[in-house]
Amino acid sequence: MENKFLYKYILTSFIVVFVFPYLLTKLPLKEWGLILSIIYFIAVLPIYFIAVPLSCKKQSKALWILPIINILFFLITSVLFFNSGITVYLAIYVALSYFAITIKYFSQSNQ
């Protein structure tokens, strides 16, 4: 059951963190690509990095590895498609993910 969740998680992360930015860079109008990239980095990715750990049904040790997988995908994406290492976002997104995991951990341990 846990392996099925991990495979689904990795596929979803690949699509959200790798495929969407690729599609943003291939837009014909560069202005739209810039606007959608800003929305993607400020709204979509933080919501994704918070929502995924909270969507897990139970606690597991694999839950603590999930943000690392996302960050590796994000680092590859930023280098390949945006020609820069956007390291500021890495720290913010990892902190958001681990904050969500901590909230989930303490909310489930109180029950």
Side-chain angles (χ1 to χ4, degrees):
M1 184 71 168
E2 190 171 317
N3 288 336
K4 185 177 179 182
F5 169 74
L6 281 175
Y7 294 138
K8 189 168 90 171
Y9 175 79
I10 290 172
L11 179 65
T12 306
S13 292
F14 180 76
I15 291 170
V16 170
V17 180
F18 196 78
V19 174
F20 286 166
Y22 173 75
L23 295 175
L24 287 175
T25 59
K26 298 303 175 189
L27 287 173
L29 295 173
K30 294 298 179 186
E31 293 83 17
W32 280 103
L34 179 64
I35 292 167
L36 291 176
S37 293
I38 291 170
I39 293 170
Y40 175 75
F41 285 118
I42 293 176
V44 174
L45 280 180
I47 291 170
Y48 178 73
F49 274 77
I50 291 171
V52 169
L54 294 177
S55 68
C56 295
K57 300 210 185 314
K58 62 178 183 172
Q59 293 179 170
S60 68
K61 291 181 182 180
L63 186 62
W64 294 94
I65 297 172
L66 300 180
I68 305 293
I69 294 169
N70 273 342
I71 290 303
L72 290 176
F73 280 141
F74 184 74
L75 186 62
I76 292 169
T77 301
S78 67
V79 170
L80 289 178
F81 303 135
F82 298 108
N83 295 329
S84 67
I86 308 173
T87 56
V88 171
Y89 289 109
L90 294 175
I92 294 169
Y93 295 154
V94 166
L96 287 174
S97 288
Y98 281 119
F99 184 68
I101 291 170
T102 306
I103 289 172
K104 182 162 184 73
Y105 178 76
F106 285 117
S107 69
Q108 287 184 348
S109 66
N110 289 337
Q111 294 177 356

